[in-house]
Amino acid sequence: MTLISIVKKNLIGVIIIIAISLHITLIYKYSTFSFINSNNNKNNRNNLPPQHQQPSNIQHNIQHDIHQKPHYSNKQSQKIQQQQQYQDDSPLDGQKFIYSKQKEKILKYIDIKQFGLFNGGIVNSKPSNYINANDHGVYKDLNLNELDEISSWSPNTIVDFNKRHGYDSLPSICSEIDFDEIKTCEGSNYYQATVTPTPVLDENAMNYTLKPNSKYRAKFNYHPREFSKQPLITILTAFYNIEPDIFEESAATVFGQSLQNFEWVIVNDCSPNQTLVDLSLGKYRELAKTDPRIVIIDLKKNVRLPGARNAGIKVARGKYIVSLDPDDMFENTYLEKAVWFLETHKEYTLCNAWTVGFANKSYVWKNGYHDGDKNLKENQITVASVMRTQALRDVGGFDGKLIHGMEDWDLWVRMADNGHWGHTLEEYHFWYRVSPPGKWDAIDNLAKFNSFVENQQVKYKNAYGKGVPKLSRPPQEKMEAVEDLIPFENDLKKCRPRVLLLIPYMEVGGADQFNYNFAQGMVLDGWEVSIATTKNADNKWFPQFARVTPDIFIMPRFAKNTDQCRFLAYYIKSRQFDVVYVSNSEQAYHYLSYLRSNAPGPAYIDYTHSETPKWKDGGYARYSFGSEKLLDRSIFASEHLRQYCIRRGHNANKTATVLIGIDSDKYTPKPENRAIIRKELGFPDNVLVIVFVARLESEKQPEVFAEVLRRVDQMGYDFRAISIGGGLLFNDLNETISKNGLSEKVRLLGNIPNSQVSKYVSGSDVFFLPSKVEGISLAIYEAMSQQVCAVSAKVGGQAELVTPDVGFLVVPGTPTEVDEYTEIIADLASNLTLAAELGKKSLEKILNGFSVKDTLQRMKEEFCNSAIVTRYTTPMFTNKLFSKLSNEQAVLGHEYERAIDELLPMWNQLSALTKQLAPPPNLTEKEIIRKPSPYPLHKPEEVLDSINITGLRVVDNIMVEKKKVDRKMKIILKDYQEQFIRRNPKFADKQLVPNEFLHQYNHGVDNWDDELPYPYQQQEYIAYIPNAFVGAGESATIFDWDRVFLLNYSPTQQETFTMPLEESRICHVEKTKKMVTLLQKQFSFENFVIDQLPKLSLVLEELEQDPEIKILVPFTDFAKTIMVDTLKFSPDRIVYFKPGAGWDPCVVFFANTLLLPTPIPPGQPPREMISKLRDYFYQKNDIDVGSINRNVIMYASRKSTLSPLRKVSNEHKVIETIKNILQSNDQGKYEFIEWDGLETITPELVQISSRVKMLIGMTGANLLPMVVCQPKTIVVEFMHENPWLSFWSTSESLEHENWMIPIKATSHDSLEIQVPIDQLTNTLNQIFNPQQQEQSTTSINN
């Protein structure tokens, strides 16, 4: 059979093969996308706005990561630059696409003529900033990888990239607001931003003059983008002889509705006073010529109120209808919330809200449909109920005969009689003008009222027999579906930039205060601010937020849990927000994928206040970096928090720090309040007053507040204290205060208005906030601005604000936490002058650098940055695949919240029961009393000679020693080493079983399952031990006249030190005033660098502040080189210890104050310590890691190690193999360096190691350059059988990627070891070409 005949016979198959081949080729060709960065970037930002001309260190501490963006060598970069001279002046010289056709494709489609998305601005004035999901323009031919790559760049880089190709336009929010343009756009609806002087709709202090139309109320431009042909709701007003000024108030609230898709049917019930008719309705007759929403009907005969309403019902075109009498008013968002409720709760027919009565009588009315059968005896429902129009028609409308009143009550009972009922929104939305007595005869006359009720019972036997329908909002079902279809449209015109605050609730607290300050500042700067809350809460601060915006939606009150994300999609499309701002809302993070898919257009950012390591692996910070791809920008309240998230994997290019600012004009010192609150609360004039302001929840630790006060009181110090704030633990705190007998000294005020909070804070001496977690507490800002010193927790970024010169910080969660707070409060109680001095310094600090204006400016800069990025992220999410996935993600998010709500009560019961059943404390423990100090009566030599070394009391735990024996011992708490997760070493041989080679229980690892918690989480500290010796021996043990510090480390309870030698008693005593010891057991190069030197990171601050402190290190050449040459310490500060017995001369060191840092478990350096040590190496050797091209592959030989063991017998072949693989994989891109293994760390080694991408070598001290290698360095360790794993552990603490090449039939004590070249080759190929290697392995296995 010929080839031609074969082809003909299988023609279809041949065509399919050719088509598939072409398809694969095209996919490969157009989906491979990366870029490279040379070393010669030149910046040209002359035409950028200020925030892009001079990026701050905080804002743009950004470098491209080598793992994301491979680098060319310098030589190659120079060659490319020579070939492309036209790019020399561009900031993006170093950013070139590897595939030229790919580059051409991107440049082709990023064309300003198609790039309408970069414009944006005022509706009807210039193109909108809003992106139509169906019109991707420039992005439609870019694949997800390309869009993702570009969006991962810094905003400056994106701007420079676009400028280079002719795109000078930035998003409109990057420009200053043009108020003349806004006036033109808004026309007669133009307003000047207003912040209401007092809280709005505060039922505890209702201001009845702040009616919806008040000029003092906050404004929002509610106006339709275009008039709808079919109204969604009919507003029905029966008009009869109403004064024009009164009618104007009602009309203002109609046109001020956030739901603009309405018609307003005004029925003039043949009003006899034509003058009033003309004055009141003339304006609206004229307006109806241009606004089709206005319909005016003039009845020729007076039919009274119910008849006039029925006339309007006949012509109503809305799906819903609501009656608004011509003298009543609505709040702005009433109709929008009520209609959304009815659209999504089909079982309900009616919906109203709480009422504010005004005019002849002022009151609030919270009764309604939820009062059920009570409505059969007396009307509880106001007339302004939103109803389904068809249902109203079906029951016959209003009873036209009831012309003397109660026609609305009759309607509600008739609705119930026909199976209809409603829901009352738990918000004040209806303003009812109370008429003088006598207007409604049927209501005011008791006989007529009783007659009416009797008649109702006859008319509506079904309702009076069975009661009204018993409706309730259905509970959320398991895995309840999420709808995508938005039930109605409400497109509003947009003339000002808009931001949506998506937050959990509005309650007393620092985060909410910051949100309020931010919202107020943005409104006054010309923005329109909207707020949506996600959590079911009291929202006590709603009246405060209503001062700055009417556009507030507490979603749980009108939307089902599973409908929140759909409402938000509707909301975002309705308002065309420029920015969606997420803060501290779990639900909001769950909704992000849904919103990015269903509500494209705005920039999506989050603002994070703090990390919470013990809550969900980082709390909201964890949500932030976990949602990085869904966010255009992540903003943090402190640089500490930003760096935390970057270390956890956040792309630094998409992050920024914006410190919380304070309005120092608002929060000012008010000395007069000291006398006022003392008189009000019955406090003496001359005692310390402590104020504690927080939501009473576990993270604020009210139990610590109570315990500290109890102890200070027991110590005999006088004080008074105030607690402000409610919460879950309010009753617990109240009970504890009473139980401790402190009710006369401590006042619990609960939730009070914010204006009152300031009074109590400014009248106090100390602001006490012992939180477990904080970002930087806004409440502390406010206290310091009011000249009150702070005592708080050393968490988050607090140390950036509360420095030792202005207040006190204590590390939470330690055994000494309460002791330290107690000591501080006791000192302040005994020295009121100190508290006053610290208060003055606190105010000075606030006035010098913590302005709210600076915060707002920085925030707007970050809004601009996010808008730049969102042009590339938005098209990534507007496709059917992502839409489907995002819907499922929303379902899972809602299910998570439902499960939390279901299980939380059980958890609370379990916690309470556990606390109740906890065994009582051990009261029989023997008290230890220390021997009296022999100093200064005796000299150190005399004391040493008299000590019975073997009889010294052993101290195993420094914290227990302080708590139970030596309370005067000073301990400074440093970072808390969390239990971070380590990973198994990687092996090229996928058949290797880690437990078989590495062995279970080796190096404290129970099971090599790739989830290996660091086993030594602990509080890091510096103990200040007075009059202490460091004795000769194998571990440089610390002891004094009656105790020796051996110090166990958990969990094995092994000792850090050994007992000092008996011969120490006759050694020479070398004295010093202050000394820090880094030493532990053993003094090899490996032990010093891994187990001892990292402790230096704990005392750096002390060493810099006090030049008298000397440092004790082993008497070795490597210690001298590292401390003096590399870390640049003055030689006279270094003291050298000679380890072991028999040294001549033998020396015991004595220090008046010995600084003892936290012990390090051998071979297990804590991540915090060793990472800070690495940073200190970089700092002292002037290394800027952000500018380094990490292109070095280092081979660490054992040629110069002191140990004769584990020399590589085929080292020449190993080196040759490495070089060949590098050459074949990257065309000489990397620089190969061989390190001889000399046991020291020199400045030169630090410089080289900071550039290392991969470190290769036999296990041993020769690998210790890893200590100065950057995170993500790849470490390839040749490992013998029965492996020692100190270098793997160190590598994990340094956040390296560890690979092992197992070498069988060898041991730690082998003199020579031959490295298997085939395994080395396979390992390096897997590292350089992981995908290719996987395909190869799969083929072999198949």
Side-chain angles (χ1 to χ4, degrees):
M1 186 179 290
T2 65
L3 179 62
I4 294 175
S5 62
I6 293 173
V7 170
K8 287 182 177 179
K9 188 174 182 179
N10 299 280
L11 183 60
I12 296 176
V14 171
I15 293 173
I16 291 173
I17 292 172
I18 294 172
I20 292 174
S21 301
L22 288 173
H23 186 63
I24 292 173
T25 302
L26 288 170
I27 289 174
Y28 176 78
K29 189 173 182 180
Y30 289 103
S31 65
T32 308
F33 177 80
S34 60
F35 78 94
I36 53 177
N37 195 340
S38 79
N39 297 322
N40 298 306
N41 289 350
K42 295 180 181 179
N43 294 311
N44 179 7
R45 295 185 172 89
N46 295 334
N47 297 322
L48 293 177
Q51 64 266 33
H52 293 286
Q53 292 178 16
Q54 299 289 338
S56 67
N57 290 332
I58 290 179
Q59 181 184 3
H60 294 297
N61 181 19
I62 296 167
Q63 293 294 335
H64 298 305
D65 187 276
I66 188 168
H67 291 283
Q68 295 179 341
K69 307 172 181 65
H71 289 61
Y72 280 144
S73 66
N74 292 342
K75 185 175 181 180
Q76 287 174 305
S77 296
Q78 292 169 4
K79 183 177 179 180
I80 292 172
Q81 286 181 329
Q82 291 170 1
Q83 292 173 346
Q84 302 191 14
Q85 291 290 333
Y86 74 92
Q87 295 177 351
D88 281 351
D89 293 330
S90 170
L92 293 174
D93 279 349
Q95 294 172 4
K96 305 174 180 69
F97 298 92
I98 291 176
Y99 300 99
S100 58
K101 290 186 178 180
Q102 189 70 23
K103 170 186 170 185
E104 290 173 5
K105 180 160 73 84
I106 290 179
L107 299 186
K108 174 183 177 181
Y109 288 104
I110 302 183
D111 188 293
I112 191 64
K113 294 179 181 179
Q114 302 180 42
F115 216 152
L117 301 180
F118 264 90
N119 294 316
I122 297 175
V123 175
N124 301 335
S125 175
K126 57 184 179 182
S128 170
N129 193 46
Y130 184 72
I131 297 177
N132 188 329
N134 298 317
D135 183 19
H136 296 165
V138 62
Y139 310 108
K140 61 184 178 182
D141 292 307
L142 299 182
N143 66 36
L144 293 180
N145 287 336
E146 295 162 354
L147 292 167
D148 179 53
E149 180 66 34
I150 296 172
S151 66
S152 71
W153 300 349
S154 71
N156 273 348
T157 301
I158 296 174
V159 169
D160 293 343
F161 176 79
N162 292 317
K163 279 190 62 181
R164 193 178 78 175
H165 301 291
Y167 316 130
D168 292 329
S169 295
L170 290 168
S172 60
I173 60 173
C174 296
S175 305
E176 291 294 324
I177 293 178
D178 186 339
F179 285 97
D180 289 335
E181 198 171 39
I182 290 176
K183 287 180 181 179
T184 301
C185 176
E186 292 182 344
S188 60
N189 296 312
Y190 175 77
Y191 68 89
Q192 288 189 332
T194 301
V195 175
T196 309
T198 61
V200 176
L201 299 174
D202 183 355
E203 64 182 38
N204 296 316
M206 183 69 74
N207 186 340
Y208 293 94
T209 66
L210 292 176
K211 294 181 287 188
N213 68 318
S214 170
K215 66 178 181 179
Y216 299 109
R217 289 284 296 270
K219 305 293 190 293
F220 196 100
N221 185 23
Y222 297 118
H223 194 72
R225 206 181 311 172
E226 58 183 25
F227 296 124
S228 174
K229 294 180 180 179
Q230 177 61 44
L232 180 62
I233 185 169
T234 298
I235 303 172
L236 174 59
T237 298
F239 178 94
Y240 186 83
N241 282 357
I242 298 297
E243 295 287 342
D245 55 341
I246 294 177
F247 186 72
E248 186 66 27
E249 288 185 336
S250 298
T253 68
V254 170
F255 291 105
Q257 283 300 296
S258 62
L259 180 60
Q260 285 285 304
N261 186 9
F262 63 80
E263 70 168 351
W264 187 20
V265 176
I266 306 170
V267 181
N268 174 23
D269 190 19
C270 196
S271 300
N273 190 331
Q274 192 59 42
T275 301
L276 286 181
V277 171
D278 292 340
L279 289 174
S280 296
L281 298 184
K283 171 183 176 180
Y284 299 99
R285 294 186 195 276
E286 188 64 28
L287 186 58
K289 295 176 182 179
T290 56
D291 190 338
R293 298 175 300 173
I294 303 173
V295 178
I296 300 177
I297 300 173
D298 291 296
L299 300 181
K300 295 181 180 180
K301 178 182 177 182
N302 179 262
V303 294
R304 308 297 288 267
L305 180 58
R309 288 177 179 161
N310 286 337
I313 293 171
K314 290 180 182 179
V315 301
R317 296 188 297 135
K319 181 179 180 181
Y320 300 95
I321 191 168
V322 63
S323 180
L324 175 68
D325 287 348
D327 54 352
D328 296 336
M329 291 177 281
F330 292 150
E331 286 292 326
N332 300 89
T333 59
Y334 172 44
L335 299 186
E336 193 169 15
K337 292 170 182 174
V339 168
W340 185 275
F341 179 87
L342 292 174
E343 279 287 329
T344 55
H345 294 78
K346 301 299 185 182
E347 64 273 28
Y348 288 88
T349 303
L350 311 100
C351 181
N352 75 340
W354 291 346
T355 298
V356 178
F358 71 106
N360 192 62
K361 181 181 179 183
S362 297
Y363 63 91
V364 294
W365 183 261
K366 298 170 72 170
N367 296 7
Y369 291 104
H370 54 282
D371 289 296
D373 291 342
K374 188 177 179 181
N375 282 280
L376 298 174
K377 298 178 181 179
E378 188 176 5
N379 187 19
Q380 308 296 315
I381 303 167
T382 50
V383 68
S385 288
V386 176
M387 299 172 273
R388 300 185 191 274
T389 305
Q390 189 58 50
L392 178 60
R393 286 173 174 157
D394 289 345
V395 300
F398 291 90
D399 187 340
K401 299 176 184 178
L402 298 176
I403 61 175
H404 297 292
M406 298 195 288
E407 76 291 339
D408 50 344
W409 184 16
D410 173 79
L411 177 61
W412 312 142
V413 178
R414 187 161 6 107
M415 282 282 192
D417 198 62
N418 284 272
H420 301 291
W421 201 239
H423 173 74
T424 298
L425 299 174
E426 295 179 348
E427 295 178 352
Y428 295 103
H429 281 298
F430 179 51
W431 285 69
Y432 174 72
R433 190 181 300 268
V434 180
S435 301
K439 180 177 181 180
W440 302 111
D441 184 51
I443 298 174
D444 297 331
N445 187 301
L446 183 59
K448 291 183 178 181
F449 177 85
N450 290 334
S451 174
F452 174 82
V453 172
E454 291 174 2
N455 188 47
Q456 292 289 91
Q457 293 172 352
V458 174
K459 287 170 61 178
Y460 306 122
K461 293 182 180 179
N462 189 39
Y464 280 91
K466 297 180 181 180
V468 303
K470 305 301 186 288
L471 301 180
S472 61
R473 297 177 67 179
Q476 179 181 333
E477 296 179 2
K478 293 183 178 179
M479 297 298 290
E480 186 172 314
V482 171
E483 298 288 339
D484 286 339
L485 183 64
I486 292 176
F488 59 86
E489 293 183 354
N490 180 36
D491 295 333
L492 301 182
K493 185 177 180 181
K494 174 168 171 275
C495 297
R496 304 174 189 239
R498 287 175 177 165
V499 57
L500 167 62
L501 273 62
L502 194 48
I503 57 179
Y505 39 60
M506 294 168 284
E507 298 286 355
V508 177
D512 297 286
Q513 182 64 63
F514 172 76
N515 290 335
Y516 172 78
N517 292 345
F518 165 65
Q520 175 180 275
M522 296 300 287
V523 165
L524 293 177
D525 280 354
W527 284 60
E528 288 186 318
V529 175
S530 300
I531 299 170
T533 68
T534 58
K535 221 168 174 52
N536 195 6
D538 290 338
N539 290 283
K540 297 290 187 181
W541 265 18
F542 167 83
Q544 187 76 359
F545 281 87
R547 294 176 58 200
V548 297
T549 178
D551 206 47
I552 300 176
F553 289 79
I554 301 171
M555 291 191 290
R557 293 181 177 173
F558 64 89
K560 297 186 293 185
N561 289 340
T562 52
D563 219 28
Q564 286 192 15
C565 50
R566 179 166 62 145
F567 172 78
L568 288 171
Y570 151 82
Y571 194 30
I572 291 167
K573 291 178 180 180
S574 170
R575 272 60 168 181
Q576 304 175 73
F577 294 112
D578 296 277
V579 178
V580 174
Y581 163 107
V582 174
S583 186
N584 283 17
S585 172
E586 284 188 273
Q587 289 101 317
Y589 284 108
H590 293 156
Y591 303 159
L592 271 176
S593 60
Y594 182 95
L595 295 179
R596 295 301 318 238
S597 176
N598 291 276
Y604 286 82
I605 72 165
D606 69 339
Y607 188 91
T608 308
H609 291 267
S610 63
E611 80 275 24
T612 318
K614 295 184 180 180
W615 179 63
K616 301 186 179 180
D617 192 31
Y620 295 116
R622 171 65 181 81
Y623 277 113
S624 180
F625 63 73
S627 304
E628 177 208 311
K629 292 295 184 182
L630 296 168
L631 293 165
D632 299 306
R633 202 86 177 138
S634 287
I635 308 173
F636 301 101
S638 68
E639 182 63 12
H640 157 88
L641 181 58
R642 175 176 174 267
Q643 293 299 331
Y644 168 85
C645 287
I646 291 172
R647 289 196 302 271
R648 295 292 302 271
H650 211 308
N651 179 1
N653 291 350
K654 297 178 76 172
T655 66
T657 298
V658 177
L659 298 175
I660 295 174
I662 189 68
D663 187 351
S664 54
D665 293 333
K666 176 181 177 182
Y667 296 98
T668 58
K670 295 179 181 176
E672 66 274 15
N673 283 342
R674 291 175 55 81
I676 292 173
I677 70 166
R678 281 163 171 77
K679 182 178 180 180
E680 174 188 329
L681 300 175
F683 290 172
D685 294 334
N686 59 342
V687 298
L688 185 80
V689 175
I690 305 157
V691 63
F692 172 47
V693 182
R695 284 192 305 273
L696 297 182
E697 297 175 355
S698 60
E699 65 181 27
K700 301 301 180 182
Q701 298 202 112
E703 72 279 4
V704 172
F705 167 73
E707 177 61 16
V708 169
L709 297 186
R710 184 190 69 80
R711 293 189 184 187
V712 173
D713 183 61
Q714 280 191 340
M715 293 167 70
Y717 295 102
D718 201 6
F719 66 87
R720 295 296 184 273
I722 306 166
S723 170
I724 300 174
L728 296 174
L729 300 180
F730 180 87
N731 292 334
D732 290 349
L733 178 60
N734 192 23
E735 182 181 335
T736 302
I737 293 296
S738 177
K739 180 179 177 181
N740 293 339
L742 293 175
S743 299
E744 293 300 316
K745 290 189 173 183
V746 183
R747 298 283 192 272
L748 274 61
L749 304 185
N751 288 321
I752 62 175
N754 193 52
S755 57
Q756 294 296 306
V757 174
S758 180
K759 178 182 78 171
Y760 292 107
V761 171
S762 62
S764 300
D765 302 296
V766 175
F767 186 92
F768 186 23
L769 187 63
S771 307
K772 288 180 186 176
V773 293
E774 288 286 353
I776 304 181
S777 168
L778 183 62
I780 292 181
Y781 278 96
E782 295 171 359
M784 292 173 63
S785 185
Q786 295 174 95
Q787 205 166 307
V788 178
C789 75
V791 177
S792 189
K794 190 174 184 181
V795 289
Q798 299 268 79
E800 296 172 34
L801 176 65
V802 184
T803 49
D805 58 319
V806 300
F808 303 92
L809 294 180
V810 171
V811 177
T814 69
T816 63
E817 177 186 10
V818 174
D819 293 337
E820 292 183 70
Y821 279 132
T822 301
E823 185 176 339
I824 292 167
I825 297 297
D827 287 345
L828 292 171
S830 65
N831 187 354
L832 298 180
T833 303
L834 174 59
E837 291 174 353
L838 291 173
K840 291 178 181 178
K841 292 178 180 179
S842 297
L843 174 58
E844 291 173 6
K845 181 150 195 163
I846 292 296
L847 295 177
N848 290 282
F850 292 92
S851 164
V852 70
K853 293 180 180 178
D854 295 334
T855 299
L856 290 171
Q857 180 59 35
R858 285 284 296 111
M859 193 69 82
K860 285 186 284 188
E861 290 173 8
E862 293 309 328
F863 282 4
C864 169
N865 286 333
S866 64
I868 291 167
V869 176
T870 201
R871 305 302 187 184
Y872 289 94
T873 57
T874 293
M876 293 166 56
F877 307 117
T878 50
N879 58 75
K880 291 182 179 179
L881 173 61
F882 189 83
S883 177
K884 179 64 176 176
L885 292 173
S886 69
N887 183 287
E888 181 63 14
Q889 179 65 30
V891 171
L892 294 174
H894 288 303
E895 176 61 16
Y896 169 84
E897 293 296 333
R898 186 202 63 77
I900 288 285
D901 290 342
E902 183 178 76
L903 296 174
L904 188 59
M906 288 187 282
W907 172 257
N908 291 336
Q909 289 177 9
L910 176 62
S911 300
L913 189 61
T914 302
K915 183 178 179 180
Q916 182 181 346
L917 298 178
N922 185 2
L923 303 177
T924 61
E925 188 173 345
K926 182 179 178 181
E927 183 179 3
I928 299 173
I929 300 176
R930 293 199 66 193
K931 296 178 181 179
S933 171
Y935 306 99
L937 296 178
H938 298 281
K939 297 178 181 179
E941 296 88 345
E942 297 172 338
V943 174
L944 180 62
D945 185 57
S946 67
I947 290 175
N948 176 11
I949 287 182
T950 59
L952 292 173
R953 177 172 58 86
V954 174
V955 175
D956 293 325
N957 187 304
I958 205 91
M959 296 296 187
V960 174
E961 176 72 5
K962 175 176 174 61
K963 185 174 182 180
K964 296 185 177 181
V965 183
D966 188 2
R967 296 190 59 148
K968 292 183 179 179
M969 179 168 56
K970 178 181 177 182
I971 295 181
I972 301 297
L973 299 182
K974 297 293 183 175
D975 289 322
Y976 186 86
Q977 177 57 65
E978 296 289 350
Q979 194 176 59
F980 60 91
I981 298 299
R982 303 175 297 178
R983 301 294 179 186
N984 289 357
K986 296 183 178 181
F987 297 93
D989 181 4
K990 303 305 180 186
Q991 305 302 315
L992 184 143
V993 179
N995 277 336
E996 293 180 1
F997 179 73
L998 301 172
H999 305 299
Q1000 279 185 277
Y1001 313 114
N1002 187 5
H1003 216 70
V1005 176
D1006 293 336
N1007 183 34
W1008 293 91
D1009 59 359
D1010 210 35
E1011 291 275 342
L1012 313 173
Y1014 178 75
Y1016 302 104
Q1017 58 180 353
Q1018 61 180 340
Q1019 174 63 57
E1020 296 166 359
Y1021 61 81
I1022 306 171
Y1024 286 71
I1025 303 175
N1027 303 315
F1029 297 100
V1030 180
E1034 65 177 16
S1035 67
T1037 306
I1038 298 94
F1039 60 96
D1040 60 17
W1041 66 91
D1042 77 334
R1043 59 187 173 180
V1044 58
F1045 295 86
L1046 299 187
L1047 302 186
N1048 292 340
Y1049 55 86
S1050 61
T1052 57
Q1053 297 302 309
Q1054 294 176 317
E1055 293 175 341
T1056 304
F1057 300 98
T1058 59
M1059 289 295 292
L1061 298 175
E1062 186 66 29
E1063 68 180 53
S1064 297
R1065 295 176 56 252
I1066 60 173
C1067 287
H1068 167 70
V1069 177
E1070 187 170 312
K1071 304 173 188 175
T1072 184
K1073 288 184 178 179
K1074 300 174 185 176
M1075 181 168 68
V1076 58
T1077 175
L1078 303 181
L1079 304 182
Q1080 295 184 181
K1081 287 182 182 178
Q1082 303 176 348
F1083 305 96
S1084 70
F1085 177 53
E1086 173 188 336
N1087 294 121
F1088 179 65
V1089 173
I1090 294 178
D1091 302 339
Q1092 300 172 28
L1093 193 58
K1095 293 192 286 187
L1096 185 65
S1097 65
L1098 298 181
V1099 294
L1100 290 176
E1101 184 178 346
E1102 285 75 9
L1103 290 172
E1104 291 177 1
Q1105 292 177 354
D1106 191 345
E1108 286 191 341
I1109 301 176
K1110 297 185 182 297
I1111 309 169
L1112 185 63
V1113 299
F1115 185 53
T1116 60
D1117 289 337
F1118 59 73
K1120 180 179 179 181
T1121 299
I1122 291 172
M1123 301 303 294
V1124 176
D1125 297 341
T1126 309
L1127 293 178
K1128 319 297 186 195
F1129 285 104
S1130 174
D1132 61 2
R1133 296 193 73 175
I1134 309 302
V1135 179
Y1136 296 100
F1137 177 84
K1138 295 179 179 180
W1143 284 89
D1144 188 20
C1146 76
V1147 175
V1148 170
F1149 293 93
F1150 174 84
N1152 295 113
T1153 302
L1154 182 74
L1155 280 67
L1156 176 60
T1158 315
I1160 294 178
Q1164 305 267 18
R1167 176 168 288 178
E1168 294 282 350
M1169 286 194 201
I1170 201 163
S1171 297
K1172 288 182 179 179
L1173 174 66
R1174 172 173 55 196
D1175 294 342
Y1176 193 61
F1177 270 114
Y1178 291 161
Q1179 175 189 336
K1180 301 308 285 188
N1181 290 276
D1182 299 322
I1183 294 175
D1184 179 8
V1185 294
S1187 61
I1188 288 176
N1189 180 12
R1190 293 175 58 208
N1191 64 344
V1192 170
I1193 306 298
M1194 176 186 283
Y1195 173 72
S1197 174
R1198 289 185 60 79
K1199 292 177 182 177
S1200 299
T1201 56
L1202 295 178
S1203 170
L1205 304 177
R1206 300 185 310 286
K1207 305 292 186 181
V1208 177
S1209 61
N1210 60 337
E1211 190 161 72
H1212 177 75
K1213 184 64 176 176
V1214 168
I1215 293 173
E1216 181 183 350
T1217 301
I1218 295 171
K1219 289 182 177 179
N1220 289 339
I1221 291 174
L1222 292 179
Q1223 186 65 31
S1224 65
N1225 278 283
D1226 52 67
Q1227 298 81 40
K1229 170 182 170 181
Y1230 294 109
E1231 177 184 356
F1232 179 82
I1233 291 179
E1234 180 183 354
W1235 172 251
D1236 63 6
L1238 182 66
E1239 294 188 355
T1240 190
I1241 299 178
T1242 64
E1244 294 75 19
L1245 181 61
V1246 177
Q1247 293 287 344
I1248 294 170
S1249 299
S1250 67
R1251 295 169 46 221
V1252 166
K1253 178 178 175 61
M1254 185 185 299
L1255 176 65
I1256 308 171
M1258 179 62 68
T1259 185
N1262 50 298
L1263 286 179
L1264 283 176
M1266 70 168 58
V1267 173
V1268 282
C1269 290
Q1270 293 193 46
K1272 299 184 181 179
T1273 298
I1274 299 170
V1275 178
V1276 181
E1277 187 176 4
F1278 307 153
M1279 182 56 72
H1280 52 75
E1281 289 193 301
N1282 296 314
W1284 286 23
L1285 297 171
S1286 294
F1287 299 100
W1288 162 79
S1289 177
T1290 303
S1291 178
E1292 285 296 306
S1293 291
L1294 289 162
E1295 299 180 85
H1296 293 160
E1297 181 181 321
N1298 187 278
W1299 287 71
M1300 280 187 186
I1301 297 178
I1303 308 174
K1304 296 182 179 180
T1306 62
S1307 73
H1308 182 78
D1309 297 326
S1310 296
L1311 290 175
E1312 288 191 342
I1313 296 179
Q1314 180 171 313
V1315 176
I1317 298 302
D1318 58 339
Q1319 289 194 45
L1320 173 62
T1321 302
N1322 191 17
T1323 300
L1324 294 181
N1325 281 335
Q1326 281 201 32
I1327 292 172
F1328 283 109
N1329 302 292
Q1331 294 180 346
Q1332 179 179 341
Q1333 201 68 22
E1334 283 181 15
Q1335 292 171 359
S1336 174
T1337 303
T1338 302
S1339 299
I1340 293 171
N1341 292 337
N1342 291 337

